[in-house]
Amino acid sequence: MHDAHEQPAGSAQDDERWMQQAFALAERAEREFDEIPVGAVLVAADGRLIGEGFNRNIATHDPTAHAEIVALRAGGQALGNHRLPGATLYVTLEPCAMCAMAIVHARVARLVYGAADPKTGACGSVFDLLADPRHNHRVAVNGGVLGEEAGRRLSNYFRAKRGKPPLDGQGGPPGAS
Ligand SMILES: [Zn+2]
């Protein structure tokens, strides 16, 4: 994706590397807690990992425990600050309205997400909260990073729930990744 603007941190390679880490967290959500596999990592302005999260709604009986919120809370604790200026949040799925507003409240500089969410996505798909000029904080948004893989992973989770076989990946043998 071409982007002429200078952005805080993050080459395309960095973005994909952090997204892979978010995939690993998403897998834990599914494997260890049977939660919807969404993962998030929060990276400080200096490139340090300061927060990780995956969906924990069911395990913690917490309707707000989306991956992004979990990662933002961890980041706040790590920095000793409720604001996270310069930070980049990576998440495997386009954030919902709750998470988009939390990102604004936290003053996150940049959001990178994988798959778009045509049902509840609030960063351009259903709502476009981060682009709303009425906020006094701007968040740079880069969607679709490893988006195809992110979408396939989520589709396969829901397919498995319905007893359907997984969609093919890149043609590699199962379990090769
Ligand atoms: Zn959310």
Side-chain angles (χ1 to χ4, degrees), residues 55 63-69 94-100 120:
N55 273 17
T64 70
H66 284 180
E68 301 94 313
I69 303 288
E94 182 183 354
C96 72
M98 172 182 74
C99 292
T120 64

Side-chain angles (χ1 to χ4, degrees), residues 40-67:
V41 299
L42 185 65
V43 178
D46 62 4
R48 209 160 33 104
L49 176 69
I50 53 171
E52 294 183 316
F54 50 80
N55 273 17
R56 299 179 53 83
N57 301 95
I58 301 164
T60 59
H61 314 296
D62 181 354
T64 70
H66 284 180

Side-chain angles (χ1 to χ4, degrees), residues 100-101 103-104 111 122-123 128-132 135 137-141:
M101 286 312 303
I103 288 164
V104 171
L111 167 72
C123 305
D128 199 359
L129 294 177
L130 296 185
D132 193 309
H135 296 311
H137 173 72
R138 316 297 311 160
V139 181
V141 179

